[in-house]
């Protein structure tokens, strides 16, 4: 296929990303650049953030341009209704950004870029453009169904409404998992439109892919200074917020306390503290129950440091009952580490890693951490006691994680766009 020009609209991207969504947006753009395409990105920049583009895309060779809208930094580490979604719009952008965005529009539609919007925030921003209806067919990439797991009826309804508006505007919809596709199809049916849905599993970002490939045969990576050498870890690496259910890490550790103490394993908690009160609760509870635990919540971990920790990890615990994907499951797998995850099929990465994950009854863990005789807990303990089983499980996880990369991901998106463009042209003839 000839080179294409993509216009990606994403809440977080180059400036201080705080969630897996921002990392995945970077992988998406990197995959398109790697295939020789041109990419324009419109994203947010929290006030005072100075993250550098060159650190992430050193070889874009003039094929990447970025437009940013500066937002209130106090709203940055949120992706729900408390985010800066209402100021991530054309009218709130400065003159330079508005001029850059206008430059993307051409009266000749074939010269305009192909719009790809990420999540409902990106769709809302895109629809604020005065020329949005003049661009090519719209691809909506859903990185999370935000109402999923929300119990409050007012919040649930509001988030669903924003999701429905994004679905109404889209020509193609891409979900992260089969479970999310089902949720989005139900939302689409309820607002009376008929959409075409695809499922794309997110790829490992390039740096983790390379480290995972090398880790099986190269020397161990250096750990962060605050992390002791010569130890084995039980990790939980997620954003610290209620929807990630990070507090479950503590009862999970209690269930395997005897193994932690007899083998000298050290619990490690890492991730962005997007809800400060919730993060403090998780950190305090962990330290109270396991004083030897390592708290890396306020520590920025480079890809090398994250992989070094996983390289020394026995088991990674992914606590939430629902996750659109759960990239840290795949990143751990790339380093040969299996993850304990919810057994309900609602964690997207489980469909890529398959039976190389350890299924857990998360509800039972949350309600009664002494329930160590459940079927899933017996299975976990059997694996953790057997080094051969643990190593074999990790090797299967590694093979599956490394098999799906940015090139394969980008190629599939390009193929989808080509079909969508061709169908649109045929319909307009």
């Amino acid at each position: 296929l000839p080179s294409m020009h993509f216009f990606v609209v994403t809440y977080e991207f180059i400036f201080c990303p705080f969630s897996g969504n921002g990392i995945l947006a970077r992988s998406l753009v990197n995959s398109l650049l790697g295939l020789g395409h041109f990419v324009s990105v419109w994203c947010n920049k929290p006030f005072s953030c100075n993250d550098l583009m060159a650190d992430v895309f050193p070889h874009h060779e003039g094929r990447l341009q970025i437009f940013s809208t500066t937002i209130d930094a106090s709203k940055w580490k949120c992706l729900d209704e408390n985010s800066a979604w209402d100021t991530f719009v054309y009218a709130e952008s400065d003159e330079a950004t508005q001029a850059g965005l206008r430059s993307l529009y051409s009266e000749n539609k074939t010269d305009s870029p192909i719009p790809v919007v990420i999540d409902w925030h990106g769709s809302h921003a895109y629809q604020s453009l005065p020329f949005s209806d003049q661009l090519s067919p719209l691809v909506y990439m859903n990185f999370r169904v935000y109402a999923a797991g929300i119990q409050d009826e007012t919040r649930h309804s509001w988030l669903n409404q924003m999701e429905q508006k994004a679905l109404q505007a889209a020509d193609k919809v891409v979900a992260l998992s089969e479970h999310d596709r089902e949720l989005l199809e139900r939302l689409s049916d309820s607002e009376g439109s008929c959409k075409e849905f695809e499922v794309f599993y997110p790829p490992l970002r390039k740096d983790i892919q390379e480290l995972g490939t090398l880790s099986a045969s190269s020397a161990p990576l250096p750990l962060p200074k605050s992390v002791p050498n010569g130890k084995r870890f039980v990790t939980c690496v997620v954003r610290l917020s209620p929807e990630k259910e990070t507090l479950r890490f503590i009862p999970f550790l209690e269930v395997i306390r005897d193994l932690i103490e007899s083998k000298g394993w050290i619990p490690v908690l890492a991730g962005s503290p997007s809800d400060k009160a919730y993060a403090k609760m998780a950190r305090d509870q962990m330290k109270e129950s396991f004083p030897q635990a390592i708290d890396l919540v306020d520590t920025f971990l480079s890809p090398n440091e994250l992989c070094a920790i996983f390289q020394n990890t026995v088991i990674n615990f992914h606590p939430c009952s629902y996750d659109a994907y759960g990239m840290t499951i795949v990143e751990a797998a790339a380093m040969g580490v299996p993850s304990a995850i919810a057994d309900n099929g609602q964690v997207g990465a489980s469909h890529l890693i398959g039976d190389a994950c350890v299924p857990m009854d998360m509800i039972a863990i949350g309600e009664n951490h002494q329930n160590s005789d459940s079927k899933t807990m017996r299975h976990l303990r059997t694996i953790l006691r057997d080094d051969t089983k643990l190593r074999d499980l990790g090797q299967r996880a590694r093979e599956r994680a490394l098999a799906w990369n940015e090139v394969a991901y980008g190629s599939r998106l390009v193929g989808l766009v080509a079909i969508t463009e061709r169908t649109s042209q045929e319909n307009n003839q």
Side-chain angles (χ1 to χ4, degrees), residues 252 315-318 320 329 338-347 350 353-363 365 374-381 383 393 396:
F252 172 79
I315 188 80
N316 176 58
F317 179 68
H318 198 77
C320 42
I329 295 169
S339 291
I341 65 167
D343 61 359
N344 57 9
Q346 295 182 15
V347 176
S350 66
I353 306 301
D355 64 2
C357 289
V358 183
M360 301 293 302
D361 183 348
M362 292 297 179
I363 303 301
I365 290 174
S374 70
K375 182 178 179 181
T376 58
M377 286 310 307
R378 288 198 303 271
H379 177 57
L380 171 71
R381 294 171 69 83
I383 291 170
L393 195 66
R396 290 209 308 276

Side-chain angles (χ1 to χ4, degrees), residues 412-423:
R412 190 168 176 199
L413 176 59
V414 170
L416 173 68
V417 165
I419 293 171
T420 305
E421 290 269 270
R422 187 165 61 247
T423 302

